[in-house]
Every structure is written in C-alpha cells, then in structure tokens.
Amino acid sequence: MTAGDTIYALSSGAGRAAVAVVRLSGSGTQGLLVSLAGGLPPPRRAVLRDLRDSNGETLDRAIVLWFPGPSSFTGEDCAELHLHGSPSVIQAVMAVCSAWSDVRPAEPGEFTRRAFLNGKMDLVEAEGLADLLEARTAGQRRQAFRQMSGAASSVFESWREQLLLIRADIEASVDFADEEGVAEAAAPGIDRRMATVLAEMQENLSRSAASEIIRDGVKVVLAGHPNTGKSSLLNALSRREAAIVSAIPGTTRDSIEVTMDIHGIPVILTDTAGLRARAADLVEEEGIRRTRQHIAGADVLVWVWSPDVPGSEAPEAGSMPDLIVGNKADLQTSGERPSNADALFISTRTGQGMSVLLDRLSKLLQDRYGSVESSLLVSARQKSAVQRSIRHLNDALHISPGSFELKAEEVRQASEEIGRLTGRVDVEEWLGAIFSRFCIGK
Ligand SMILES: Nc1nc2c(ncn2[C@@H]2O[C@H](COP(=O)(O)OP(=O)(O)OP(=O)(O)O)[C@@H](O)[C@H]2O)c(=O)[nH]1
Ligand SMILES: [Mg+2]
C-alpha cells in the first residue's frame, strides 16, 4: 500500500439497490471530485450534482459529499457519491475513478486502516467497527458499539496511564536513590496502586469469556442416542430443513451447525451423530468421536431422548447436560414419562412443548449470557494482551522493593502490552510521563 494513493470503493452492498455509495479517500479526491461533479461542494454538506465523465457525458445525478481532511473518517480528503444503485451507473462512475492517475480500488479494510494509521481510531475501535458490521443480534450490536465508540479504549488507556505513572514513580526512586527523601516519598503505595490496576484487569478478564461467547455465538449442542429426534429438533428450532431426518438410526454422520438468534443472544446450534456403543461403520464411528468433542466444547448441552429408544434417557456418562428433553410426546408408548415438574417433554412432530423448551432455553441463555455487556475484553487478542499484562504486574508485585530496575521493567512491559492492545505503544509518550511528573530539570 502506498500512502500517496487515492483509493475508491463501492461501500454499499453489491447488487441492484436504490442507492449505491462510492467512497473516495486520498489527496487525489479533490481533483477527481471537481472533474466528476464540476466543482467542489461545501464541506460536509449533501449537494445534488450531475456527474460527468471526461467527454462531458452525464453519468448520473447524485448526492455528493465532500469531507476535507483531517476532519474525515480516514483523516485524508474524502468524498462520498450517493449514486442510483444500478450496476451500469456504478460501473461508469468507477471507470472514471480508475482512469484518474494515482487513483486505484481500495483493498479490503483499507479505509479503516488509513483511519488507524492517521490516528482517527485505535485498534480496539477498529475491531469494534468490524464487529459492528458483522453484528447479527442486539447483544452483539451493543457490545461492538461500545468498542467502536471508544468507551472500552478509554478504560484501557486509563490502565496504561496509571502504569506509566507507577513506572515513573519507580524510575524516580532509581534515579534519586542517593537523594534523601525522594525514594522514600515515591515508594509507599506503589504496590498498592499496582494491585488496584491488576484487580481491575483481572475482573475484566474473568468476565471476558462470556463476552467472547456473545461475539462468536453460544455453542448449544444437541446430543443423544440415535433416532431420538435430534435432527428433527434442530430443524424445528431453526425453522428450516437443515438436517436430514429419517427413521434409520445413525442418519446423522457429521455434525450440522445452524446459527440463530434466541431473544438477542447469538446461538450456534449443533446437531450431532447419535451416540451408541456399536457404530455401523467407520464413518459413524468418526461421527461419534466428533459428537464427544462437541459435548466437551459445548456452552450449553441439551440431551435428547425419546421413549421409543430404550435406555436413551440416561445422559452420556461424564456429560453434564444443561437441559434434558424427552421427544416424541405424541407417541402412545408404554415409555415412562418423567414425573418431576422440571422435566421437558416435547414433540417435534406436533409442536407440543416446543414453546416451553424455547422459553427454558432462552431463560438459561439470558441468565448466563444476557448481562455480559459490562465486560470490556471481547476478542482473543484483547484477552491475551491483558493476560500478558497481568503476568508482568504479578511479577512486578513479587519483586522486592529494593530491586527498582527489575520492578520498573516489569511495569514497563505491562503497560506496553496495554499499549499494544489499543495500538498506541509509543516510547516518547512514556518519557513524557516521567518528565512532566517529576520536574527533573532541577
Ligand atoms: N412420533 C414422532 N416421531 C418423531 C418425532 N421427532 C422425530 N421423529 C421421528 O424419529 C425418527 C428419527 O428422527 P431424527 O431427527 O432423524 O433422529 P436423530 O436423533 O437425529 O437420529 P440420528 O441422526 O440417527 O442420531 C424420524 O423418523 C422422525 O420422523 C416426534 O416428535 N414424534
Ligand atoms: Mg440426526
């Protein structure tokens, strides 16, 4: 990527639509806009203009927006062309853009990348923006918005600032170890302040597993013996024929995943191969091995049994189902119906009990994952950065007060990890913190 390039892209979705948005960024934007629209509109005001190619042919009548840098999304000169959304109009306007020298199609994520490089957003905000664009549920949307809007970043930044100041205090103790009073003045409370930041990080880390689940989806796994109706249940819950259903035990060989939204919580619902001691063949055996893996990795395990499959009530040894569901309630069998009030008995055929099951599942998901929006760490990258920072802080706390240099070094690494988290690691800033705090000019 050459920073000098001007980039353009169709920023709205592909295909026929009422409106299509072509976006431009870079120093060539101004010249291109003048040529296309016959002049530069006032900044940040929507104006209606005829767009013309170099031969003077009118291509479209469009809404044109001009965002001179640095007050733009990328920090560079930017423009938006709101065109009529036909492929022909889009193609004609893009052809004019590409004919301009030093103007080229943008690479994926390049506008956001430029925004990051120009300091318009940090890495966490960029991640939040990416998450927001992918958000499928209300929970995902809220979580992503908090990251994108900088609310999470400001907390991370405050951790980093506190660590910079703590380090500045330790450094001062080193520099003035011989001077009476300075070391003593700086030393008290350093460990306590470190412990406070550490506790805040740890608290966020402990809540982060649930946030990550909200981001990626809760893994709900349907397991049980063959022929109990797991695939039928997956189809009923997802309201589509995603899995093959048949009366032959061992129909499902490979696990099948569907994503769905249960009252704002994203769910990855997985249908698995029925568990039985003797698999019919190697393929089924492999399927059963995968079922066990899914059971082990499930966030929510649903055990499905049915009265016409003897012995199917008892969950797989060692597994801890969150819900046990008896299926085929419509069958007039001599099979025992569970008597306790908690027992769920449904029929995927008649729909009996399905709403109770959905309510129960929804309540379980809400209880566990419904209030996780307060956790700030939502991605594996963010989590591991904080984990590393915590490790350095723990080490720092265990270093004896006399070993200033070692302690300071651990705190430096701890703050650097947080700096990496937001993408703002900068040695100059660190020096600034020390010098501004201690008036070392004396
Ligand atoms: N009577 C009745 N039959 C059902 C019900 N749900 C499923 N079945 C039938 O039970 C049989 C097995 O259903 P599946 O959904 O394929 O069962 P499975 O648990 O996925 O089976 P495997 O893939 O072999 O592990 C099919 O013939 C279904 O039509 C129900 O509520 N009532
Ligand atoms: Mg099946």
Side-chain angles (χ1 to χ4, degrees), residues 190-192 194-195 198 392-400 407 410-411:
I190 285 182
D191 280 4
R192 187 178 39 77
M194 255 195 267
L198 182 69
H392 288 301
L393 277 184
N394 260 325
D395 288 352
L397 278 170
H398 286 100
I399 290 170
S400 76
K407 226 176 168 64
E410 291 296 341
V411 177

Side-chain angles (χ1 to χ4, degrees), residues 24 268 284 312 337 435:
L24 293 145
I268 305 168
E284 192 185 350
S312 63
R337 301 232 170 159
F435 292 120

Side-chain angles (χ1 to χ4, degrees), residues 225-232 243-246 248 250-254 256 271-274:
H225 289 186
N227 228 23
T228 53
K230 301 175 295 298
S231 300
S232 308
I244 300 172
V245 166
S246 90
I248 304 163
T251 298
T252 305
R253 302 298 195 90
D254 219 342
I256 292 165
D271 176 27
T272 59

Side-chain angles (χ1 to χ4, degrees), residues 286-340:
E286 173 61 16
I288 289 174
R289 195 188 65 80
R290 291 181 187 198
T291 299
R292 297 218 160 89
Q293 273 183 344
H294 281 294
I295 289 176
D299 298 315
V300 173
L301 178 62
V302 179
W303 182 259
V304 183
W305 68 280
S306 73
D308 62 334
V309 180
S312 63
E313 310 87 299
E316 169 83 344
S319 72
M320 300 256 280
D322 299 278
L323 286 174
I324 296 182
V325 179
N327 185 28
K328 310 194 189 179
D330 56 297
L331 283 186
Q332 298 299 320
T333 64
S334 55
E336 292 271 308
R337 301 232 170 159
S339 50
N340 63 328

Side-chain angles (χ1 to χ4, degrees), residues 254-301:
D254 219 342
S255 31
I256 292 165
E257 289 184 350
V258 296
T259 57
M260 51 187 296
D261 174 349
I262 299 184
H263 296 145
I265 296 185
V267 163
I268 305 168
L269 187 65
T270 308
D271 176 27
T272 59
L275 291 163
R276 58 176 165 184
R278 262 185 291 279
D281 53 38
L282 278 176
V283 180
E284 192 185 350
E285 207 170 287
E286 173 61 16
I288 289 174
R289 195 188 65 80
R290 291 181 187 198
T291 299
R292 297 218 160 89
Q293 273 183 344
H294 281 294
I295 289 176
D299 298 315
V300 173
L301 178 62

Side-chain angles (χ1 to χ4, degrees), residues 73-133:
F73 175 73
T74 60
E76 305 172 332
D77 284 352
C78 285
E80 276 180 25
L81 309 171
H82 295 221
L83 313 170
H84 289 101
S86 78
S88 158
V89 170
I90 297 166
Q91 199 270 330
V93 170
M94 304 250 274
V96 174
C97 294
S98 64
W100 207 259
S101 68
D102 294 329
V103 176
R104 62 166 172 81
E107 287 160 22
E110 199 173 354
F111 287 94
T112 313
R113 191 176 166 148
R114 288 187 176 198
F116 168 68
L117 290 175
N118 290 324
K120 301 298 280 189
M121 63 169 66
D122 65 29
L123 282 185
V124 173
E125 289 161 357
E127 276 177 316
L129 177 59
D131 284 352
L132 187 65
L133 294 174

